[in-house]
């Protein structure tokens, strides 16, 4: 999508409105003459080459002032690069631009690019990258093709779509729209900014697509935006276009496979990696393990984990999470202990994994022990995720009062996820009044979050208070809040099929419904009695049974039975995970 410079300059958010709060008072004039300027420059560059601390950087700064090099663009560029590596780029900025607004004529785009890059790569300073770009324009220093990838990266980090559109306008103004590096970062920026995926696709469609990097940017954008089916489709288009994917592309597609439950496609990608000689780096192996675990093949993940030549903390944590996900609490804990014995120090993410394992396996005392261990032995301050794991641990075990007491004693403010976790435990274990009270409070705190209404609606259904349940559903409609429909996804012949309850959109829907009836008859013949208490509708028992038989999982199973050979494993992925 192209934007004219005029349109961009008229936008409410103007780049020239950025304030340069980093700029200090003017620097003192140099105390020495310029006779040995070249020798001083070489000495300064040599000092910067070996600089490894802030005190040394301060000494070099003093030498700059003394030798009159504080306006030398080449030296300042090296200084800013060194400062960035020492995480003190603000210090270099204050030195470099101390004479603002009358910048020395030697200052050039290369110098500004160094600062913009340093700030763009800092998670907490992307706005300063934009400020540096604004200062560059104000001083009539034209940006080059290396400027915009860094500026666009900062926009992506800020998730600011309007700002990104403005920068796109400057890209057009300065004539860099055809530069492949700029195009790729435009795709990344738009794909990172929420509603910008459609614009990202337009940029992608209009550019040459002979290199994997542009495909990777778009595929990664789809994955981050939760549109994994489109990511897989684009990956197939990439292969069809004869473009060989690189490691980054493969990792993104494996993430999409994990989300979709596309095990066969994920396995095919593993074979493709071997056949094409793509380096099986640690990140790629981690992505494969994660894919296997989330697609229901934890054994394949474990086999790959065991043969990995190099394992980082991420590798261990990914495997622990996979075991926890499959309810193998004991194995997850054993692997955690093995990790420690191997000399790998667990981090806060690893503890989330082991606490989750304890929760899924109902290992309450072990979970409490590990929660205390992270503080006492590893000096890790628990985060909200760890407290959430503990609430889930108590809730799953039916210890609702203990969970509530734990929340009240937390040193941090519990977030809505923790309260929703407790509400689910209340409904499962019969603490209905407490669940109702918390749900009402959640709606008051987050009036536009659909999960809060669904939870309260389900609580009322459990209490058979159908009128109140109906009022909650009506309130959602009045406020324009829609429940995300539950659906089941199943992979067949490397294609993903999606079903919702009562779905008649599939060409085989008549055969599928007939198969569901046959499944129900077989189940009843075997003595199965449906648990209709979990159907939270004010209908009679016969209708509740019918609702259960039309559930999305049963439709997906029926579809698989119709289209696969006997004995074929059936794997189903739900779109609604967690609370």
């Amino acid at each position: 999508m192209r934007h004219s410079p005029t349109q961009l300059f008229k936008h409410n958010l103007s780049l020239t409105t950025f304030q340069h709060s980093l700029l200090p008072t003017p620097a003192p004039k140099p105390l020495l003459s310029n006779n040995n300027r070249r020798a001083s420059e070489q000495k300064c560059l040599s000092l910067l080459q070996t600089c490894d601390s802030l005190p040394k950087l301060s000494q070099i700064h003093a030498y700059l002032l003394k030798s009159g090099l504080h306006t030398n663009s080449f030296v300042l560029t090296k200084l800013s690069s060194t400062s960035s590596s020492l995480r003190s780029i603000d210090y270099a900025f204050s030195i470099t631009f101390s004479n603002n607004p009358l910048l020395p004529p030697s200052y050039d785009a290369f110098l500004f690019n160094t600062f913009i890059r340093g700030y763009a790569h800092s998670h907490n300073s992307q706005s300063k990258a934009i400020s540096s770009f604004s200062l560059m324009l104000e001083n009539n220093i034209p940006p080059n093709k290396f400027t915009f990838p860094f500026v666009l990266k900062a926009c992506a980090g800020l998730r600011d779509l309007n700002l990104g559109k403005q920068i796109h306008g400057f890209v057009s103004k300065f004539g860099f729209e055809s530069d492949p590096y700029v195009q790729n970062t435009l795709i990344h920026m738009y794909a990172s900014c929420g509603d910008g995926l459609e614009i990202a696709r337009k940029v992608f469609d209009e550019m040459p697509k002979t290199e994997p990097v542009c495909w990777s940017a778009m595929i990664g954008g789809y994955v981050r935006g939760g549109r994994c089916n489109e990511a897989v489709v684009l990956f197939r288009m990439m292969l069809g276009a004869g473009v060989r994917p690189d490691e980054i592309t493969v990792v993104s597609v494996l993430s999409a496979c994990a989300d979709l439950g596309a095990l066969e496609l994920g396995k095919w990608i593993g074979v493709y990696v071997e056949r094409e000689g793509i380096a099986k780096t640690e990140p790629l192996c981690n992505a494969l393990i994660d894919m296997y675990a989330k697609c229901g093949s934890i054994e394949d993940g474990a086999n790959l984990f065991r043969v990995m030549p190099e394992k980082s903390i991420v590798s261990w944590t990914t495997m622990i999470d996979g075991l926890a996900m499959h309810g193998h609490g004991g194995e997850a804990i054993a692997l955690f202990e093995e990790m420690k014995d191997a000399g790998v120090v667990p981090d806060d993410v690893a503890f989330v994994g082991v606490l989750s394992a304890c929760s899924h396996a109902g290992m309450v005392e072990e979970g409490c022990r590990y929660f205390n261990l992270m503080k006492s032995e590893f000096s890790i301050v628990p985060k909200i995720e760890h407290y959430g794991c503990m609430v889930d641990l108590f809730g799953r075990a039916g210890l609702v009062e203990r969970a509530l007491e734990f929340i009240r004693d937390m040193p941090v403010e519990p977030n809505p996820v923790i309260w929703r976790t407790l509400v689910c435990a209340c409904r499962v274990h019969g603490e209905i009044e407490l669940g109702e009270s918390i749900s009402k409070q959640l709606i008051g705190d987050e009036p536009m979050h659909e999960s809060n209404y669904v939870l309260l609606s389900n609580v009322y259904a459990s209490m058979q208070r159908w009128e109140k349940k109906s009022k909650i559903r009506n309130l959602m409609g009045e406020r324009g809040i829609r429940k995300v429909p539950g659906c089941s996804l199943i992979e067949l012949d490397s294609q993903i099929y999606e079903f919702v309850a009562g779905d008649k959109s599939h060409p085989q829907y008549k055969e599928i419904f007939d198969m569901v009836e046959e499944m129900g008859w077989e189940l009843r013949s075997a003595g199965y009695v449906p648990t209709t208490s979990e159907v939270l509708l004010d209908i009679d028992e016969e209708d509740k049974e019918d609702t259960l038989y039309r559930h999305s999982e049963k439709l997906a199973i029926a579809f698989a039975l119709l289209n696969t050979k006997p004995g074929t494993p059936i794997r189903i992925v739900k779109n609604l995970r967690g609370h």
Side-chain angles (χ1 to χ4, degrees):
M1 180 175 180
R2 290 181 170 82
H3 307 269
S4 71
T6 303
Q7 290 174 322
L8 270 297
F9 289 133
K10 287 182 178 179
H11 198 278
N12 289 334
L13 182 59
S14 172
L15 285 172
T16 57
T17 62
F18 281 96
Q19 299 298 316
H20 308 296
S21 58
L22 295 173
L23 302 177
T25 56
K29 295 181 180 180
L31 302 178
L32 299 180
S33 67
N34 298 328
N35 292 337
N36 297 317
R37 198 169 187 82
R38 182 64 180 170
S40 297
E41 180 180 312
Q42 291 300 319
K43 181 178 180 180
C44 188
L45 292 172
S46 177
L47 290 170
L48 287 169
Q49 191 72 30
T50 58
C51 181
D52 58 3
S53 67
L54 289 179
K56 289 183 180 179
L57 192 66
S58 297
Q59 292 176 347
I60 296 172
H61 179 201
Y63 181 79
L64 282 176
L65 296 173
K66 183 177 179 181
S67 58
L69 293 173
H70 62 282
T71 60
N72 184 300
S73 176
F74 188 59
V75 173
L76 288 173
T77 299
K78 179 61 180 175
L79 174 70
S80 63
S81 179
T82 303
S83 299
S84 180
S85 66
L86 296 174
R87 298 184 179 181
S88 58
I89 193 170
D90 284 349
Y91 181 73
F93 190 97
S94 66
I95 297 171
T96 305
F97 299 112
S98 58
N99 291 325
N100 187 72
L102 300 175
L103 297 182
S106 62
Y107 284 15
D108 56 13
F110 186 59
L111 175 62
F112 276 93
N113 288 350
T114 305
F115 281 105
I116 294 170
R117 178 182 59 195
Y119 282 132
H121 288 164
S122 174
H123 293 300
N124 300 320
S125 300
Q126 281 104 346
S127 61
K128 294 176 184 178
I130 307 300
S131 296
S132 300
F133 177 67
S134 179
L135 181 63
M136 182 182 191
L137 297 181
E138 289 172 10
N139 285 274
N140 298 315
I141 297 175
N144 57 30
K145 67 177 183 179
F146 301 106
T147 307
F148 286 107
F150 303 138
V151 179
L152 290 167
K153 179 179 174 65
C155 294
L158 293 168
R159 304 288 192 271
D160 192 329
L161 182 59
N162 288 331
L163 180 60
K165 288 179 179 179
Q166 288 189 71
I167 300 301
H168 192 169
F170 284 108
V171 168
S172 300
K173 177 185 176 183
F174 288 99
F176 294 111
E177 268 198 316
S178 299
D179 183 87
Y181 294 103
V182 175
Q183 288 173 329
N184 293 332
T185 47
L186 274 170
I187 293 171
H188 172 73
M189 181 275 294
Y190 280 125
S192 299
C193 293
D195 297 330
L197 266 173
E198 300 306 324
I199 306 175
R201 184 58 189 260
K202 288 180 180 179
V203 175
F204 174 80
D205 287 340
E206 293 173 3
M207 66 183 289
K209 293 176 277 292
T210 57
E211 297 297 326
V213 63
C214 62
W215 294 88
S216 182
M218 193 66 241
I219 290 170
Y222 276 139
V223 173
R224 290 191 300 275
R227 292 162 61 170
C228 293
N229 237 332
E230 290 169 83
V232 170
V233 170
L234 194 61
F235 177 67
R236 290 196 175 102
M237 287 176 59
M238 179 183 185
L239 297 178
V243 181
R244 183 177 182 269
D246 57 15
E247 177 203 344
I248 297 173
T249 312
V250 171
V251 169
S252 292
V253 178
L254 285 171
S255 179
C257 292
D259 192 72
L260 295 169
L263 178 62
E264 295 308 314
L265 178 58
K267 284 184 173 181
W268 181 88
I269 291 172
V271 173
Y272 180 85
V273 166
E274 295 281 359
R275 188 180 73 223
E276 295 296 316
I278 298 174
K280 292 185 72 172
T281 61
E282 180 223 309
L284 195 152
C285 289
N286 293 341
L288 275 167
I289 293 170
D290 184 60
M291 181 275 298
Y292 282 131
K294 289 179 178 176
C295 291
S297 185
I298 190 65
E299 297 82 5
D300 286 326
N303 292 336
L304 175 58
F305 175 81
R306 287 303 176 191
V307 300
M308 283 178 66
E310 300 288 338
K311 300 182 183 73
S312 69
I313 181 68
V314 177
S315 310
W316 290 93
T317 303
T318 302
M319 193 64 230
I320 291 168
D321 287 343
L323 290 168
M325 190 187 309
H326 286 262
H328 302 314
E331 293 178 47
I333 290 174
L335 190 63
F336 183 83
E337 293 296 333
E338 183 183 337
M339 177 183 74
K340 291 197 300 175
D341 293 340
V344 179
V345 180
D347 58 8
D348 59 321
V349 179
F351 273 101
V352 169
V354 76
L355 291 174
S356 177
C358 293
S359 176
H360 283 81
M363 304 168 71
V364 176
E365 296 310 314
E366 290 85 350
C368 293
R369 182 173 69 84
Y370 278 112
F371 182 78
N372 294 325
L373 187 70
M374 65 183 290
K375 296 182 289 185
S376 62
E377 185 171 331
F378 296 97
S379 301
I380 298 175
V381 178
K383 295 181 178 179
I384 195 72
E385 294 84 0
H386 302 105
Y387 290 108
C389 286
M390 293 302 294
V391 173
D392 189 53
L393 172 71
F394 294 134
R396 286 175 184 267
L399 305 173
V400 176
E401 288 298 327
R402 188 171 177 183
L404 180 60
E405 182 181 351
F406 181 85
I407 293 174
R408 288 171 174 167
D409 291 340
M410 283 169 49
V412 296
E413 187 72 20
N415 64 12
V417 175
I418 286 180
W419 287 116
R420 284 194 283 270
T421 301
L422 184 59
V423 172
C424 289
C426 289
R427 188 173 70 83
V428 171
H429 296 288
E431 299 288 346
I432 303 301
E433 291 184 2
L434 177 60
E436 178 186 16
S437 174
I438 297 171
S439 296
K440 287 181 176 179
Q441 182 62 48
L442 282 168
I443 290 176
D445 294 340
E446 291 185 314
M448 299 306 294
H449 199 294
E450 57 96 6
S451 292
N452 299 329
Y453 295 87
V454 174
L455 284 172
L456 183 56
S457 173
N458 290 344
V459 166
Y460 284 142
S462 298
M463 302 166 73
Q464 296 189 344
R465 296 180 180 175
W466 306 115
E467 184 178 348
K468 287 190 173 183
K469 171 184 168 65
S470 180
K471 285 182 179 180
I472 290 297
R473 294 290 181 168
N474 291 337
L475 181 61
M476 289 178 68
E478 292 170 6
R479 295 182 176 180
I481 302 170
R482 291 187 176 184
K483 177 184 179 296
V484 177
C487 71
S488 298
L489 296 92
I490 189 167
E491 181 188 27
L492 183 65
D493 296 330
S494 296
Q495 296 291 326
I496 305 299
Y497 297 89
E498 182 178 310
F499 295 91
V500 296
D503 196 348
K504 294 184 179 181
S505 62
H506 195 277
Q508 285 184 288
Y509 84 89
K510 290 183 179 179
E511 294 94 328
I512 292 171
F513 275 53
D514 289 343
M515 177 58 74
V516 170
E517 289 294 333
E518 184 177 341
M519 288 162 51
W521 184 85
E522 293 284 354
L523 288 167
R524 285 190 294 269
S525 298
Y528 168 73
V529 178
T531 306
T532 57
S533 62
E534 284 300 300
V535 180
L536 306 179
L537 299 172
D538 186 16
I539 52 180
D540 60 32
E541 290 300 305
E542 183 177 346
D543 286 339
K544 285 187 176 183
E545 286 191 28
D546 187 63
T547 298
L548 284 172
Y549 286 130
R550 297 296 183 271
H551 206 279
S552 64
E553 287 100 327
K554 284 193 170 67
L555 296 179
I557 292 171
F559 170 75
L561 291 174
L562 286 168
N563 294 281
T564 59
K565 296 178 181 179
T568 303
I570 297 175
R571 295 180 175 87
I572 296 172
V573 174
K574 294 287 293 181
N575 67 323
L576 301 179
R577 297 174 181 172
H579 306 299

